[in-house]
Amino acid sequence: MGTREAAHRLGVKTATLYAYVSRGLITARRTPGGSRFDAAQVAALAARGRSRPAGAVETVASELTSLDGDRLRYRGRDAVELSRTTSFEEVARLLWSGTATAGPLRRDEDLTRRVGDVLAGLPAATRPPARLRVAVAVAGALAPAAPEAGPEAGADPEPLLAAVLGVRTSVAEAVDEALGAPGRWGPALVLLADHGLAVSTVAARVAASARAPLPSALSAALGAAGGPLHAGAAAAAHRFLEQVLTDGPARAVAARRLSQDGVPGFGHVVHTARDPRAEELLDALPPGPVADVVGPLVEQVVRAHGARAFPNVDLALAAHALAHGLPADAGEFVFEVARTAGWIAHALEEYHAPGLRFRVRGLQQTSHGT
């Protein structure tokens, strides 16, 4: 059968059909009239898709990021080492394509200008995390994917990201400009570029599984990231550090213990003994009151809560923001800008997986109220 019929039988776009060919899921034979596909192979692959029970995806195979113990790697390369030697742009390309190519992001000058014009019309008090969400939505509206081609065919992340962030030279400099102060965020952007299947990353993959275009996948990820339990956790750590600077580590930690609240910026649901991202960033704090108080604070928290209460990257982001006089949501913004690299990489990977594979089973509950 021909290309169009094979794609129709499988319920996918033509670009996805050829992605299946490149992955060895199906074979194509070239003829003068175009590619031809074996009908039995197409039927078998379609049957595999139909036989997947709803909610069956509990693990996702990925070539992108791994956690070996507490060691974070991007495509097999240590993230901490990359943060010392490699720009964010290189790491983004490593995640997207497997090759860490240097150089600024390619720009679409018209798209960048038009997104910038919309952002310029926002109230001056609009904070960077909110501006980022608007920029992604505007970029998606101005450069929509062609429906007939499929989102994976037009998913060029470089001009999209350059327009969303208003990049002129580098992403790190764009972050400084957005925050209004130099924070030397380059290493943090690399260390936070991806972290496996965090909740925001799953949101991006779910959107991509429905073949939403790349800006929509980013919007889905940003929606999941903005809560106080994810990227917003850095703001709570920032406020806690302000309390520590005012009251001292011992009193601040004791107050948290008496209230039975957790200590913001400590512990992790994935890392078990240490967060190497936090260690790297805390070691790089500029001299000053924040750097001076972090060591005694860590000692107090470990003494009160045990060794599993190690500092995490939320504390590191908050410490750098506070050390540079930045507001509480600066850490959230840096986190989200950094994670765009990983969200894009996961969306691109998901475009080559069978569509609509995420569907959670629901169990009906009956109310027994009187």
Side-chain angles (χ1 to χ4, degrees), residues 255-320:
R256 282 280 166 175
R257 196 170 188 182
L258 287 173
S259 69
Q260 297 184 338
D261 291 333
V263 183
F266 287 85
H268 202 277
V269 297
V270 176
H271 293 278
T272 58
R274 54 187 285 266
D275 186 341
R277 305 168 301 170
E279 293 175 353
E280 187 73 8
L281 293 176
L282 291 173
D283 285 346
L285 279 171
V290 176
D292 292 341
V293 83
V294 166
L297 171 62
V298 172
E299 292 178 6
Q300 288 288 335
V301 173
V302 171
R303 186 178 300 134
H305 296 275
R308 288 186 64 86
F310 50 85
N312 64 34
V313 77
D314 299 323
L315 183 77
L317 288 174
H320 274 272

Side-chain angles (χ1 to χ4, degrees), residues 153-241:
D156 187 350
E158 294 205 19
L160 170 65
L161 196 54
V164 163
L165 301 178
V167 175
R168 287 196 293 266
T169 53
S170 71
V171 172
E173 289 189 9
V175 169
D176 284 346
E177 184 174 343
L179 293 175
R184 292 178 283 182
W185 294 108
L189 292 173
V190 170
L191 289 166
L192 287 159
D194 194 36
H195 203 242
L197 293 172
V199 61
S200 56
T201 305
V202 172
R205 292 195 80 122
V206 169
S209 177
R211 299 305 182 252
L214 205 49
S216 296
L218 284 179
S219 289
L222 284 165
L229 301 183
H230 199 3
H238 189 284
R239 291 188 290 269
F240 176 59
L241 273 179

Side-chain angles (χ1 to χ4, degrees), residues 115 118-119 122 126 128-140 164 222:
V115 172
V118 174
L119 295 181
L122 295 176
T126 306
R131 295 176 71 86
L132 177 61
R133 285 159 173 75
V134 172
V136 170
V138 170
V164 163
L222 284 165

